[in-house]
Amino acid sequence: MKKHNLGLVLSGGGARGLAHAGVLQALDEIGLPVNIISGTSSGAIIGVMYAAGVPPSEMVNIVSKSKLFDITGISFDFKGLLKTKSFHKILSQFVPMKTFEELAIPVMVCTTDFTRAKTVFHDKGPFEDVVVASCSIPLIFSPSIINGNMLVDGGLLNNFPIEPLINKCDHLLGVHVNPLGVFKRKNISGMIERCFQMAISSGNRQKAKQCTLFLEPPKLSNYTVFDTKHAKEIFALGYNEAMKKRDALENMKMKIE
């Protein structure tokens, strides 16, 4: 089987996932083409939008105006506090394609089968419900029921989904948007998010070693998973981190060409 030139791995991270768009903006400016993407949670929705041709610079406005965490979307049932209609709206409004096969770049979307406690990858058929499931943080968002299975945020079990791209690409670029940093937000919500981040960080360091280049903007630790009001700042952190590695990216481009 022929290998892809460049594979891109995009972690989850809620609003911090806009740093992925910043990295993609840098790649576009450098002229480094992405041949396949594996993403989970916010990495999945950014990856699908990019594969559908949505410019990275537009993703900032799309996400910041989407009110993904608006309390008017509260669902008063046991499944989650917030409904997922905003995620569906983004995909239906800004992505004209409906299936994985229609996307210009192959995308692997990582979800968690909550019932069976296992990671599931998707790359065929309709993608909207699958991407929304990958973004659905348990207890925060309602899960998606697909083929009778309860699917939730892929980051719950695999927040850096490199596995589908191993041995399938000449080069792997990993972007992780959950740096642990020094704990500063000493409140309940901060502690809950910190616990979740620590739990899902296990194994990511080893995965990072399998990447040709691994990007993790350290200042993202200053923002929360719900921080869409700082969308432009988060985007800039991703862009600047990629541009710091411009020489490495340019070298990768030369090898591919």
Side-chain angles (χ1 to χ4, degrees):
M1 181 178 66
K2 183 180 178 181
K3 285 187 176 182
H4 296 281
N5 288 326
L6 176 60
L8 181 64
V9 186
L10 303 177
S11 77
R16 290 191 296 266
L18 279 167
H20 294 316
V23 171
L24 289 167
Q25 177 68 31
L27 297 186
D28 283 353
E29 291 181 14
I30 292 169
L32 180 57
V34 174
N35 304 113
I36 188 169
I37 300 170
S38 179
T40 193
S41 197
S42 57
I45 196 167
I46 293 294
V48 165
M49 284 198 290
Y50 186 71
V54 179
S57 58
E58 289 186 17
M59 295 179 193
V60 178
N61 292 327
I62 291 171
V63 173
S64 61
K65 293 178 180 179
S66 66
K67 298 182 180 180
L68 290 181
F69 308 105
D70 189 342
I71 61 172
T72 59
I74 285 181
S75 172
F76 292 100
D77 58 34
F78 79 97
K79 295 177 182 178
L81 294 175
L82 302 178
K83 294 181 180 178
T84 55
K85 61 182 180 181
S86 293
F87 291 114
H88 284 286
K89 185 176 180 180
I90 284 177
L91 291 169
S92 62
Q93 185 173 349
F94 297 100
V95 179
M97 301 81 173
K98 301 300 179 185
T99 67
F100 283 99
E101 290 82 358
E102 295 174 84
L103 297 171
I105 302 171
V107 179
M108 308 286 296
V109 170
C110 176
T111 66
T112 298
D113 184 329
F114 196 77
T115 306
R116 295 170 178 78
K118 67 176 184 179
T119 293
V120 182
F121 289 101
H122 312 259
D123 65 346
K124 294 180 175 62
F127 58 71
E128 183 174 322
D129 288 344
V130 168
V131 173
V132 172
S134 185
C135 296
S136 300
I137 304 170
L139 302 180
I140 303 297
F141 292 100
S142 303
S144 297
I145 307 300
I146 302 176
N147 297 325
N149 298 318
M150 184 184 292
L151 301 182
V152 299
D153 196 315
L156 187 62
L157 291 179
N158 191 339
N159 201 44
F160 192 65
I162 194 174
E163 292 82 359
L165 305 188
I166 295 295
N167 298 321
K168 294 183 180 179
C169 304
D170 293 322
H171 304 278
L172 284 176
L173 173 59
V175 187
H176 190 260
V177 296
N178 296 290
L180 287 174
V182 176
F183 182 53
K184 298 177 182 177
R185 294 173 51 236
K186 298 179 181 179
N187 51 41
I188 293 298
S189 63
M191 290 184 68
I192 291 173
E193 183 176 336
R194 179 74 167 183
C195 288
F196 186 70
Q197 279 186 273
M198 292 173 70
I200 64 177
S201 66
S202 177
N204 285 344
R205 295 301 113 186
Q206 287 302 117
K207 290 184 181 183
K209 294 178 181 178
Q210 299 179 73
C211 295
T212 310
L213 183 63
F214 180 76
L215 303 177
E216 185 183 55
K219 291 185 179 180
L220 285 175
S221 61
N222 295 328
Y223 300 92
T224 74
V225 294
F226 305 120
D227 224 340
T228 52
K229 65 182 179 181
H230 292 111
K232 291 182 180 179
E233 293 94 325
I234 293 171
F235 176 92
L237 287 175
Y239 176 83
N240 292 336
E241 189 68 16
M243 283 305 190
K244 287 179 185 177
K245 304 293 183 179
R246 180 162 191 154
D247 288 347
L249 293 169
E250 293 277 11
N251 186 51
M252 197 181 297
K253 178 184 175 183
M254 289 177 60
K255 290 181 178 179
I256 290 174
E257 292 175 341

